[in-house]
Amino acid sequence: MKKYKRLFFIFTALGVLLSDAMCAFVAYNYCEMKNAAYSAPASTAFIFAVPFLLAIAICAAAACVFYKKYNK
């Protein structure tokens, strides 16, 4: 039981850290595109968020599974 609680907290923290890293990474790349005078719209910068979103979804799913196992 204690193992599942730790895993739940680890995956929850990892998901939060990934979301913060995603925001910083996308914002930095958007600013770089603006400074380089590319004519790409802002939605192009969000393509960089796709791998982060997949990883966050996996962490959230794992955290849900471990939370359910912890509460059994």
Side-chain angles (χ1 to χ4, degrees):
M1 287 296 195
K2 199 171 190 180
K3 173 177 70 171
Y4 294 127
K5 184 177 180 180
R6 283 188 191 146
L7 287 171
F8 165 68
F9 283 123
I10 287 171
F11 278 101
T12 302
L14 186 60
V16 170
L17 288 174
L18 279 171
S19 70
D20 294 341
M22 176 189 67
C23 292
F25 187 76
V26 171
Y28 176 78
N29 283 321
Y30 180 65
C31 290
E32 285 296 313
M33 278 197 268
K34 286 296 232 186
N35 290 337
Y38 292 132
S39 61
S43 61
T44 306
F46 291 109
I47 293 173
F48 294 117
V50 172
F52 286 103
L53 292 173
L54 290 173
I56 291 168
I58 290 170
C59 286
C64 287
V65 167
F66 292 129
Y67 182 74
K68 286 181 182 180
K69 287 186 178 187
Y70 167 66
N71 280 337
K72 272 189 178 180

